Structures are given as C-alpha cells and as structure tokens.
C-alpha cells in the first residue's frame, strides 16, 4: 500500500530555489519574483494516476502522470523546455527523472511526519522545499 500524498499543501521552506532556477536558466527578474512566492500544491492520487497542481499568485503549473509511464513534459511557464519525464516509486518516495537538455534534472517527493517534502534537481543544484497541510 503506497503512501498517500492526497491533499492541499502550503510551502513553508524553500532552500536554494535561487540556485535551482539559475541552473534552469530562469532570468533575473523572474527569479526575483519567483523566490518571494509561497506556492500551494494540490495533489490528487488515484492508484497509479497523479495530478500535481502547483499554484501561486504569479504562475501555475499542472502535471498529470501515471506511475511507470514516460510522457512528454512541456514545463510551460517554468523554463519552457520540453523533456521526457518518468515517475516511479522508490520505496515510499516518488521519483521523477526529467530527461532532456538539462543534465541531472528531476525531483523527489516524500512524506516526513505530517509534512510533504520535495527535492528539485537540475545540473549541480538541489532545491529543498517543505510543505504543510493547508
Ligand atoms: C521556474 C522554476 C515560478 C520559476 C519561474 C516560475 C509554479 C513536483 C513538481 C511537479 C515542480 C515545481 C517546479 C517549480 C520550478 C520553478 C512559478 C512557481 C509556481 O513540481 O511537485 O510539477 O516541478
């Protein structure tokens, strides 16, 4: 029985988002706005099917996927680079590998106590975010 990520989650900490955005090639002005944001995630999990809506006052991003099925991701409103993404379980962690122009791109979600954790990776940069239930 896998972990249950369902819920609405508010960002409470965001370590090295600046480094992650720089590695993605996000311009200075956009980074200044983006790092002030406190995004919310709404996660819906139904068996192998997931949707993750990341919303903020500036931009929103929606991702839908099925575990183990590679799909094309457009990263629209983020860095706008297309990649091939694959999400799998590694024990209780949800791991996404985003294959494309950027090396070592991907993310990992897991639960720790009542908190949702997210590690975002791009090239040599790692951003660590923690969310609490809304
Ligand atoms: C781009 C990089 C900020 C910064 C400019 C726009 C959407 C795992 C995964 C599911 C993510 C979030 C990636 C954030 C990259 C920002 C707009 C911020 C709000 O989440 O939950 O997509 O990859």
């Amino acid at each position: 029985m896998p972990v249950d990520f369902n819920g609405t989650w508010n960002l409470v900490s965001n370590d090295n988002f600046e480094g992650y955005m720089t590695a993605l090639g996000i311009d200075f002005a956009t980074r200044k706005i983006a790092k002030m944001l406190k995004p919310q995630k709404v996660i819906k999990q139904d068996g192998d099917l997931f949707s993750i809506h990341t919303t903020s006052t500036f931009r929103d991003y929606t991702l839908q996927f099925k575990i183990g099925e590679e799909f094309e991701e457009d990263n629209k409103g983020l860095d706008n680079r297309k990649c091939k993404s694959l999400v799998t379980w590694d024990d209780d962690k949800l791991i996404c590998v985003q294959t494309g122009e950027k090396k070592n791109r991907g993310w990992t979600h897991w639960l720790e106590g009542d908190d949702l954790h997210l590690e975002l990776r791009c090239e040599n940069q790692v951003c660590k975010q923690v969310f609490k239930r809304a």
Side-chain angles (χ1 to χ4, degrees):
M1 186 58 186
V3 185
D4 184 4
F5 289 98
N6 277 297
T8 300
W9 304 89
N10 291 329
L11 183 83
V12 293
S13 71
N14 196 1
D15 187 38
N16 195 38
F17 190 45
E18 176 72 14
Y20 173 75
M21 288 192 290
T22 303
L24 277 179
I26 305 299
D27 69 81
F28 179 86
T30 305
R31 293 203 309 272
K32 296 306 128 192
I33 296 167
K35 72 179 185 187
M36 301 301 293
L37 302 172
K38 294 274 176 269
Q40 185 174 70
K41 281 195 195 280
V42 178
I43 302 182
K44 295 197 166 89
Q45 175 180 350
D46 178 13
D48 282 349
L49 296 175
F50 281 77
S51 69
I52 302 180
H53 294 270
T54 307
T55 62
S56 74
T57 52
F58 178 51
R59 276 180 205 162
D60 300 334
Y61 187 68
T62 298
L63 190 68
Q64 287 177 286
F65 57 88
K66 187 176 179 183
I67 298 293
E69 233 172 60
E70 193 175 55
F71 59 99
E72 179 150 303
E73 186 174 2
D74 62 10
N75 295 288
K76 204 169 173 62
L78 305 180
D79 67 319
N80 295 304
R81 268 189 209 87
K82 290 195 167 76
C83 59
K84 297 271 191 200
S85 300
L86 175 66
V87 186
T88 54
W89 287 108
D90 179 19
D91 291 326
D92 287 344
K93 290 188 174 187
L94 208 52
I95 302 199
C96 180
V97 175
Q98 295 171 306
T99 306
E101 191 186 326
K102 291 288 176 184
K103 299 294 172 216
N104 191 38
R105 183 172 185 171
W107 51 259
T108 301
H109 265 302
W110 69 96
L111 296 178
E112 241 177 77
D114 293 329
D115 298 338
L116 173 72
H117 287 242
L118 172 62
E119 184 184 275
L120 294 161
R121 298 176 292 277
C122 183
E123 295 180 329
N124 61 344
Q125 296 296 315
V126 179
C127 168
K128 180 66 198 301
Q129 300 185 336
V130 180
F131 297 79
K132 287 194 179 294
R133 282 196 188 275

